[in-house]
Amino acid sequence: MPAIAPAPAARPPATVTTAAGHEPRIATLANGVRLACVHVPQAETASVSVFVRAGSGHESKLTSGLSHVVEHMVFKGTATRSAERINLDAERLGAEVNAHTDKDHTAFHMRGLARDVSGFIAMLGDIVLAPSFPEDEFERERQVLLHEFTEDEDDPVSTAFKLFDHASWGAHPLAQPVIGTRRNIERFSRADLVNHVQRQYGGPNIVVAVAGPADVDTLTRDVEAAFGAAPALAPNTITTPTFGGGIRSKAMPGSSQSHLVMGFAVPGQQAGDATAAVAAALFGEGMSSPLLGELREKRGLVYYAAASADVLDAAGQFVVEASTAPAQLDECLTELARQLALQAERITPVDLERAHNQLLVRRLRALEEPARRLESAALDLFIHGRARSLAEWRDTIAAVDGERVRALFQRMLAAGPALAVSGKVPRGLRERVRTLLAAQGLRCD
């Protein structure tokens, strides 16, 4: 079957930016493809990831789930290699191969011995730019995808998050689940996959990220050889959605717990504002946080609860998730609303100090993990056009004081949340939830 990549041609040289300390060096090819090189001289292994700015947030209703299908199918054959050959070529080198799809990107990973890094780049270039999407492999993989869809559909926690996204973003693409819909998985054709790659896999939508002992000049030549023929496409973007809110619920037979997800709109990464990240760490990270300290440690209302700032380039969500017994759901939501309201009144210095230090430790640990370090650099390049330094990140976090956090809680509570409950759902949930949240001054239309 024909390859998707165009024939190679003479190309101008790449441009390379300098970097200080442990920050990645960036090289940009003439077609807009970028290399992010994290030099780890002492490493015996190397990690190579290809990030493509194509995810469920870039899809229409008719193409929902297509990025995820392509992620599966690129491993099923290229213009020169079968699926069996792809697997063998990686595994005979001892390499780990993986991939994932998110709302804002798709990524393909290989990790193995540092001496094989050039081969990893070449192999990833082959599967990303020249997938053949054989029909027989597609029909087999379609069944695998449908099994995955059924598992996801039966998971009450995943269901709660999908309901929450729909309450948050309505008909916007960010509300669509990465896995798509059953109907789309059943009807997608090979032509849909080919068209997706041709429209989205190229230019500034691709970042090749490498962590290991190889130098940037050598890696740039490898990336040029593997990705230099990619088309110079326009950058993919996601429009900023309008936050909706309200309550969604779904009872799921066989579930004995109630799973809730509550959240609020916060600015996207383009705003360069770290307040939501600090607020989430302050509210729900660690047993001394208000969320876990009150709901779990003092009241025994939950086993698991967490707060996070899920921030994409165009929009963000401050998210609280928890699982509780159905009989304790009312008390859990009441106490959750009360704790949120307390943060809008006052942020204690010790809580702010804890949040700052927890974020710092998390960031430093991420710098020690190649996969997370590469993803951070790639997403920075997609969103900001550059890889932010640790010093810049520290300054951004340090600038978030207690007043900024308190003001964010005030704005979130005034605007009202989106709330989703799945699993064991008590009767009359919506009206009862509106009433008990209103008693805490929290509107949930």
Side-chain angles (χ1 to χ4, degrees), residues 364-374:
L364 293 174
R365 287 182 62 188
L367 291 176
E368 298 169 359
E369 300 175 19
R372 293 177 63 187
R373 197 168 173 183
L374 295 181

Side-chain angles (χ1 to χ4, degrees), residues 29-67:
L29 305 188
N31 59 0
V33 173
R34 286 165 289 189
L35 162 67
C37 173
V38 176
H39 188 53
V40 189
Q42 74 279 10
E44 295 286 344
T45 63
S47 297
V48 181
S49 296
V50 177
F51 296 89
V52 184
R53 198 175 194 181
S56 59
H58 301 100
E59 298 168 347
S60 68
K61 188 174 182 179
L62 289 176
T63 60
S64 176
L66 188 53
S67 299

Side-chain angles (χ1 to χ4, degrees), residues 285-366:
E285 186 164 335
M287 291 300 179
S288 62
S289 67
L291 178 63
L292 288 166
E294 290 292 331
L295 271 68
R296 174 176 165 150
E297 296 300 290
K298 291 186 180 179
R299 299 175 186 271
L301 296 173
V302 299
Y303 168 70
Y304 172 78
S308 61
D310 296 341
V311 183
L312 303 174
D313 56 347
Q317 297 161 309
F318 178 95
V319 183
V320 179
E321 56 178 304
S323 299
T324 189
Q328 293 179 302
L329 180 59
D330 287 9
E331 185 182 357
C332 182
L333 281 167
T334 299
E335 184 58 26
L336 173 56
R338 189 177 79 87
Q339 290 300 321
L340 288 166
L342 287 174
Q343 309 315 307
E345 294 176 5
R346 179 173 181 266
I347 300 298
T348 66
V350 68
D351 276 343
L352 185 66
E353 178 189 22
R354 172 179 55 79
H356 280 162
N357 286 330
Q358 285 172 320
L359 288 172
L360 176 59
V361 170
R362 189 193 308 166
R363 181 73 173 192
L364 293 174
R365 287 182 62 188

Side-chain angles (χ1 to χ4, degrees), residues 27-363:
T28 304
L29 305 188
N31 59 0
V33 173
R34 286 165 289 189
L35 162 67
C37 173
V38 176
H39 188 53
V40 189
Q42 74 279 10
E44 295 286 344
T45 63
S47 297
V48 181
S49 296
V50 177
F51 296 89
V52 184
R53 198 175 194 181
S56 59
H58 301 100
E59 298 168 347
S60 68
K61 188 174 182 179
L62 289 176
T63 60
S64 176
L66 188 53
S67 299
H68 181 244
V69 175
V70 168
E71 176 225 309
H72 277 240
M73 281 301 302
V74 298
F75 293 99
K76 299 303 179 181
T78 71
T80 59
R81 296 185 299 162
S82 66
E84 292 80 6
R85 176 67 184 275
I86 289 171
N87 292 330
L88 180 60
D89 283 352
E91 291 171 1
R92 66 192 290 266
L93 299 175
E96 301 171 6
V97 182
N98 209 341
H100 73 265
T101 308
D102 212 324
K103 288 185 178 292
D104 58 350
H105 70 277
T106 307
F108 309 91
H109 315 283
M110 295 187 72
R111 182 174 184 178
L113 296 174
R115 70 186 185 196
D116 297 320
V117 66
S118 296
F120 299 154
I121 293 172
M123 283 188 271
L124 286 171
D126 186 32
I127 66 172
V128 168
L129 297 182
S132 55
F133 300 132
E135 294 278 9
D136 56 341
E137 291 282 0
F138 187 21
E139 291 311 312
R140 282 193 290 270
E141 196 64 20
R142 194 192 306 273
Q143 300 309 310
V144 174
L145 288 159
L146 289 169
H147 288 310
E148 183 180 354
F149 182 90
T150 300
E151 278 195 27
D152 185 73
E153 195 175 39
D154 290 344
D155 182 351
V157 175
S158 178
T159 297
F161 271 97
K162 285 185 284 187
L163 293 170
F164 169 69
D165 282 340
H166 278 290
S168 297
W169 308 129
H172 191 277
L174 285 178
Q176 298 173 155
V178 169
I179 201 167
T181 67
R182 181 182 296 276
R183 182 176 181 182
N184 281 359
I185 295 171
E186 290 173 340
R187 70 168 181 80
F188 282 145
S189 68
R190 178 183 180 275
D192 293 322
L193 276 64
V194 171
N195 185 52
H196 179 84
V197 170
Q198 288 177 334
R199 288 187 299 105
Q200 308 212 39
Y201 279 44
N205 297 325
I206 294 179
V207 171
V208 182
V210 182
D215 66 276
V216 68
D217 293 329
T218 300
L219 293 174
T220 301
R221 289 193 293 270
D222 292 335
V223 172
E224 178 72 48
F227 291 88
L233 304 177
N236 283 340
T237 59
I238 299 176
T239 60
T240 301
T242 300
F243 191 85
I247 302 170
R248 304 287 190 276
S249 64
K250 183 177 181 179
M252 304 183 70
S255 181
S256 58
Q257 279 197 309
S258 298
H259 304 276
L260 68 94
V261 181
M262 177 188 285
F264 306 82
V266 296
Q269 285 200 32
Q270 291 172 350
D273 185 357
T275 307
V278 176
L282 183 147
F283 187 69
E285 186 164 335
M287 291 300 179
S288 62
S289 67
L291 178 63
L292 288 166
E294 290 292 331
L295 271 68
R296 174 176 165 150
E297 296 300 290
K298 291 186 180 179
R299 299 175 186 271
L301 296 173
V302 299
Y303 168 70
Y304 172 78
S308 61
D310 296 341
V311 183
L312 303 174
D313 56 347
Q317 297 161 309
F318 178 95
V319 183
V320 179
E321 56 178 304
S323 299
T324 189
Q328 293 179 302
L329 180 59
D330 287 9
E331 185 182 357
C332 182
L333 281 167
T334 299
E335 184 58 26
L336 173 56
R338 189 177 79 87
Q339 290 300 321
L340 288 166
L342 287 174
Q343 309 315 307
E345 294 176 5
R346 179 173 181 266
I347 300 298
T348 66
V350 68
D351 276 343
L352 185 66
E353 178 189 22
R354 172 179 55 79
H356 280 162
N357 286 330
Q358 285 172 320
L359 288 172
L360 176 59
V361 170
R362 189 193 308 166
R363 181 73 173 192

